[in-house]
Amino acid sequence: MPLHSLSPVSTTALLGLWHLTEPADKLWELLPSPAHYLARFPDGRDELRARQWLAARVLAGQLLRELTDAPTPLENDPNGRPYFSGLPTFGVSLSHSGEWVAAVVARGAAAVGTDIELIRPKAQQLARRFLSETEQADAGNDAAKHCLYWSAKETLYKLHSRRGLVFKEQLLLNPFERREAGVLTGHLLLENSRRQHQIHYFQPTPDYVLTYCVDAA
């Protein structure tokens, strides 16, 4: 099983990384409740995305077993946000990109979010769509920094799972100096409120960036 790492990110939260190498039929065998997921398996996904979907649920199940003796399969709410049915005090977030799958599971968290991204030119090419002018200036010509901005905003979005958020106006990050690992300050701007979050990041490999946030209840 290519479970790459399982790391505590707080006293009640775990971050897992899965290196996706096995075929879909092997992943089906690793699922704790194959019949449950078979009924929810999304149609029309290509081979890679199907394997990513399966591996994310295998990984989430492994993380959950580290925190409780009551393993429960995942469901999705109307916004597509995953949750463990029957375990309302547990938060979960999933992400995948290329050959890597990431998951965070936390007990007693108000909200969790994670995102992993392959560093590629696409984020830089689409910068005007999701970065404010200040963020664009801060990212400069650094392709990895553009991907890190994108990943952190995805994590912010998953924390709140609210449709219709405008990434370049409502999900904002303070300028930062990119390192191999660090903490970013993010802001969610709503009509009548402003929320601040500390988003952790690191590079699991030289070609990927990963961000996550666990908000205490």
Side-chain angles (χ1 to χ4, degrees):
M1 274 190 310
L3 176 63
H4 179 265
S5 62
L6 190 159
S7 308
V9 295
S10 77
T11 56
T12 57
L14 295 171
L15 167 68
L17 273 174
W18 188 279
H19 189 202
L20 185 59
T21 60
E22 57 278 278
D25 57 354
K26 179 61 176 178
L27 292 166
W28 278 111
E29 294 174 5
L30 297 174
L31 284 170
S33 303
H36 171 87
Y37 290 113
L38 182 61
R40 292 158 178 78
F41 186 70
D43 294 328
R45 296 209 166 193
D46 62 29
E47 187 264 346
L48 174 59
R49 290 184 62 81
R51 290 166 58 226
Q52 291 169 333
W53 189 92
L54 292 167
R57 281 142 187 86
V58 173
L59 179 56
Q62 291 199 9
L63 294 175
L64 184 65
R65 286 195 295 273
E66 297 290 327
L67 297 170
T68 177
D69 293 329
T72 305
L74 281 173
E75 302 280 1
N76 288 90
D77 69 15
N79 289 330
R81 187 176 189 172
Y83 69 95
F84 292 111
S85 177
L87 293 175
T89 62
F90 282 76
V92 57
S93 183
L94 310 174
S95 183
H96 49 73
S97 180
E99 62 186 15
W100 289 97
V101 175
V104 171
V105 174
R107 181 177 62 243
V112 298
T114 190
D115 185 75
I116 188 167
E117 297 289 339
L118 174 66
I119 297 172
R120 49 185 175 172
K122 183 178 179 180
Q124 196 167 358
Q125 294 164 0
L126 299 177
R128 292 184 180 180
R129 297 186 185 182
F130 70 92
L131 294 183
S132 69
E133 291 184 2
T134 298
E135 292 166 340
Q136 289 182 57
D138 182 58
N141 293 318
D142 186 339
K145 195 167 187 178
H146 278 85
C147 289
L148 185 50
Y149 262 113
W150 172 255
S151 181
K153 291 198 176 197
E154 282 287 329
T155 287
L156 267 176
Y157 178 79
K158 291 177 181 180
L159 280 173
H160 298 281
S161 188
R162 175 170 172 162
R163 293 188 183 277
L165 289 174
V166 181
F167 276 39
K168 66 184 297 181
E169 298 176 3
Q170 293 178 280
L171 302 173
L172 301 179
L173 295 162
N174 290 356
F176 62 94
E177 181 180 350
R178 182 174 66 84
R179 305 178 186 276
E180 290 187 5
V183 181
L184 309 177
T185 299
H187 306 273
L188 171 69
L189 308 182
L190 300 176
E191 292 81 3
N192 299 308
S193 67
R194 180 187 185 114
R195 302 180 192 177
Q196 181 171 302
H197 301 279
Q198 298 303 301
I199 302 167
H200 297 259
Y201 75 89
F202 65 95
Q203 290 189 233
T205 76
D207 297 328
Y208 285 81
V209 295
L210 184 147
T211 58
Y212 67 90
C213 181
V214 177
D215 269 9

